[in-house]
């Protein structure tokens, strides 16, 4: 009965289905709560007592929890000392670029980076982080302006059919999601090739970091992956692992199935399930447990430090008259929850910047942008938003120096 009702919801909302990621998530939740049959899972990770020991076979120091100090922090500090000799610029500047989630609104970030490059004052970032759509942008932002055109093509030409195929009936009969990510997997595989890995590894050896966040669904915790360390490992499965991480970070729960990672705990094999990094943090820089000033004192450096935060969505509250239907109310509530979670992450980053001595710079999709997409990935919509981002990056005036009156402040374009 409940499964039939879920099908009816899909039929009634077929137009919104093409337009709204929150609605797709809602349908996934509805089907799950309806008690439809589910697919069993192979080798789930064990109880809390030992899951923290899980590691990817053949790789070392490639990941850590986002809510605690990495257990290998001392070796990281010593590695930093060696990298300072290779790249003395690390002692002068520490520029952190954090790229948020936002789906197709990643077009703003892609355009902003292009405009920033043309303006001529885009720094070489010491650290680049990304979640969700920001994870897809991050490797190319990390490698510099020579990859701006790759981002432009993806965020102005991509259609929904090139990201996922919507298959709601599969979820009704026990599937893990409403969408098949095969198109996105194909796109990621094409872009994350041997050439890209060599470039990432080369920059990693210069002391620059590329971190991607996913959400460990079993543990309900953020996992931070060191992509440069993976690329530099020489492991034959390095490319496949990076592809899986990017896919996992962009896998919206209920829309895409979770990504399974094979791990080893006490010599036995298990599987972890990872989903969209934005489930735990919409945007991040590094774990708050890392005391940057203390590390700088140990290394004998005092660099000029800046957080460059690129929020690929609007931050301010947006008025919309909501109909008194259960799906409309729930959809609006989910989108509001996502908005305020993202704002909470920005508040945390502002405090982290103050504590660790970073200048705070934030840009986001301006409230004046009122276009609406006709589907999840609408090329016409993304082209317009890309142009807005490009002009903002080129202007140099779209940075906010504090959250302040965040709900009313608009970037000057």
């Amino acid at each position: 009965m409940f499964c039939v009702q879920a099908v009816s919801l899909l039929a009634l909302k077929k137009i919104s289905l093409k337009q709204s990621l929150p609605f797709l998530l809602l349908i996934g939740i509805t089907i799950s709560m309806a008690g439809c049959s589910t697919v069993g899972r192979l080798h789930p990770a064990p109880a809390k007592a030992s899951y923290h020991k899980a590691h990817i076979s053949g790789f070392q120091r490639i990941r850590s929890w986002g809510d605690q100090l990495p257990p290998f922090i001392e070796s990281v500090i010593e590695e930093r000392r060696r990298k300072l000799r290779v790249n003395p610029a690390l002692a002068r500047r520490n520029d952190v670029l954090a790229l948020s989630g936002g789906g197709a609104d990643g077009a703003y970030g892609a355009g902003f980076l292009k405009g920033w490059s043309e303006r001529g004052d885009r720094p070489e970032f010491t650290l680049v982080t990304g979640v969700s759509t920001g994870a897809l942008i991050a490797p190319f932002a990390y490698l510099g302006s020579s990859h701006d055109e790759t981002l432009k093509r993806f965020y102005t030409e991509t259609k929904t059919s090139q990201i996922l195929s919507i298959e709601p009936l599969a979820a009704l009969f026990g599937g893990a999601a409403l969408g098949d990510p095969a198109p996105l997997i194909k796109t990621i595989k094409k872009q994350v090739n041997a050439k890209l890995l060599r470039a990432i590894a080369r920059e990693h050896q210069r002391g620059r970091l590329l971190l991607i966040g996913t959400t460990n669904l079993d543990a309900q915790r953020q996992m931070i992956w060191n992509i440069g360390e993976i690329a530099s490992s020489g492991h034959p499965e390095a490319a496949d692992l990076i592809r899986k991480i990017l896919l996992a970070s962009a896998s919206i729960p209920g829309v895409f199935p979770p990504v399974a990672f094979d791990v080893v705990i006490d010599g036995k094999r298990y599987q972890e399930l990872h989903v969209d990094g934005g489930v735990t943090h919409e945007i991040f820089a590094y774990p708050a447990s890392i005391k940057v000033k203390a590390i700088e004192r140990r290394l004998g450096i005092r660099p000029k430090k800046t957080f460059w935060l690129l929020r690929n969505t609007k931050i301010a509250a947006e008025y919309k008259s909501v109909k008194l239907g259960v799906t409309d109310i729930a959809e609006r509530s989910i989108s509001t929850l996502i908005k305020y979670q993202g704002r909470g992450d920005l508040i945390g980053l502002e405090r982290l910047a103050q504590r660790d001595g970073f200048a705070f710079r934030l840009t986001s999709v301006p409230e004046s942008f009122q276009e609406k997409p006709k589907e999840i990935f609408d090329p016409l919509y993304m082209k317009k938003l890309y142009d807005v981002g490009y002009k903002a990056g080129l202007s140099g005036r779209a940075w906010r120096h504090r959250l302040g009156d965040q709900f009313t402040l608009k970037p000057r374009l």
Side-chain angles (χ1 to χ4, degrees), residues 169-412:
L169 290 179
L172 292 176
F173 294 98
L178 291 162
D180 181 352
L184 179 57
I185 292 172
K186 182 178 179 180
T187 298
I188 292 175
K189 185 174 182 179
K190 179 181 178 181
Q191 296 296 335
V192 181
N193 51 35
K195 182 179 179 180
L196 187 81
L197 255 66
R198 287 194 298 270
I200 291 173
R202 183 172 58 250
E203 292 306 311
H204 181 73
Q205 295 306 316
R206 296 181 58 237
R208 300 177 62 228
L209 297 174
L210 172 59
L211 306 179
I212 299 298
T214 64
T215 298
N216 183 317
L217 202 56
D218 299 301
Q220 291 189 321
R221 298 170 72 184
Q222 182 194 41
M223 182 67 76
I224 298 176
W225 302 79
N226 189 329
I227 303 302
E229 192 70 29
I230 299 171
S232 301
S233 68
H235 197 287
E237 297 179 7
D240 286 338
L241 179 56
I242 291 173
R243 291 167 188 150
K244 288 183 70 174
I245 293 166
L246 296 180
L247 176 64
S249 188
S251 290
I252 302 165
V255 180
F256 291 127
V259 175
F261 288 85
D262 294 326
V263 297
V264 177
I265 302 175
D266 294 331
K268 297 181 180 180
R269 298 179 67 85
Y270 298 93
Q271 277 190 342
E272 296 175 346
L273 295 185
H274 288 245
V275 296
D276 193 330
V279 171
T280 40
H281 288 284
E282 284 286 328
I283 188 170
F284 78 100
Y286 51 82
S289 54
I290 295 177
K291 302 298 193 293
V292 171
K293 287 185 177 179
I295 293 173
E296 289 172 347
R297 285 194 294 270
R298 288 180 59 178
L299 296 175
I301 61 174
R302 295 184 62 184
K304 177 182 178 181
K305 297 175 291 189
T306 307
F307 277 173
W308 306 97
L309 310 180
L310 216 164
R311 183 72 172 110
N312 289 302
T313 187
K314 295 179 182 178
I315 298 175
E318 301 170 82
Y319 181 83
K320 176 184 176 182
S321 179
V322 180
K323 297 178 182 179
L324 287 176
V326 62
T327 56
D328 296 284
I329 293 171
E331 179 187 0
R332 182 66 168 172
S333 297
I334 290 172
S335 63
T336 302
L337 175 66
I338 293 170
K339 181 184 289 287
Y340 278 84
Q341 177 188 323
R343 188 168 189 268
D345 288 332
L346 292 173
I347 291 171
L349 285 173
E350 185 175 40
R351 291 171 179 167
L352 188 64
Q354 292 170 350
R355 187 198 74 180
D356 290 344
F358 283 83
F360 182 87
R361 301 291 182 267
L362 166 67
T363 187
S364 61
V365 176
E367 293 111 60
S368 57
F369 183 75
Q370 295 296 317
E371 298 290 331
K372 302 296 181 184
K374 294 183 179 179
E375 56 180 307
I376 296 172
F377 274 74
D378 177 356
L380 181 59
Y381 168 87
M382 291 192 296
K383 286 177 182 176
K384 292 179 179 179
L385 184 53
Y386 179 93
D387 288 341
V388 169
Y390 171 78
K391 292 175 182 176
L394 189 63
S395 74
R397 299 193 304 272
W399 294 111
R400 304 169 183 179
H401 292 208
R402 59 182 182 86
L403 283 172
D405 299 325
Q406 190 63 62
F407 288 104
T408 57
L409 184 62
K410 296 181 180 180
R412 293 176 294 166

Side-chain angles (χ1 to χ4, degrees), residues 131-154:
V131 297
S132 200
T133 200
L136 301 180
I137 296 173
F140 304 100
Y142 174 76
L143 293 177
S145 59
S146 61
H147 292 266
D148 287 348
E149 289 302 315
T150 300
L151 290 174
K152 180 179 181 180
R153 286 193 297 271
F154 182 80

Side-chain angles (χ1 to χ4, degrees), residues 7-135:
V7 173
S8 299
L9 281 172
L10 288 167
L12 290 171
K13 294 286 287 186
K14 62 183 179 180
I15 295 177
S16 293
L17 184 63
K18 294 182 179 180
Q19 296 175 339
S20 175
L21 285 173
F23 178 76
L24 283 170
L25 178 57
L26 168 64
I27 290 298
I29 295 171
T30 301
I31 291 172
S32 175
M33 293 179 66
C36 304
S37 61
T38 58
V39 174
R41 177 179 167 193
L42 297 175
H43 311 299
K48 183 179 179 180
S50 58
Y51 81 81
H52 67 279
K53 294 189 287 185
H55 63 276
I56 307 294
S57 181
F59 293 91
Q60 296 181 344
R61 300 192 311 161
I62 65 166
R63 65 182 201 164
S64 59
W65 298 111
D67 56 6
Q68 70 179 44
L69 193 68
F72 43 81
I73 186 65
E74 286 300 320
S75 59
V76 170
I77 294 172
E78 289 309 307
E79 179 71 13
R80 200 68 179 167
R81 195 184 304 277
R82 291 191 293 271
K83 295 294 175 62
L84 282 166
R85 291 194 290 268
V86 176
N87 185 7
L90 297 173
R92 297 190 293 270
R93 291 193 62 161
N94 187 354
D95 291 284
V96 176
L97 174 67
L99 299 155
S100 83
D105 284 0
Y108 177 79
F112 192 96
L113 288 168
K114 175 65 171 176
W116 197 1
S117 296
E118 293 191 8
R119 180 177 169 81
D121 56 357
R122 173 178 162 181
E124 180 181 77
F125 304 109
T126 308
L127 166 62
V128 176
T129 72
V131 297
S132 200
T133 200

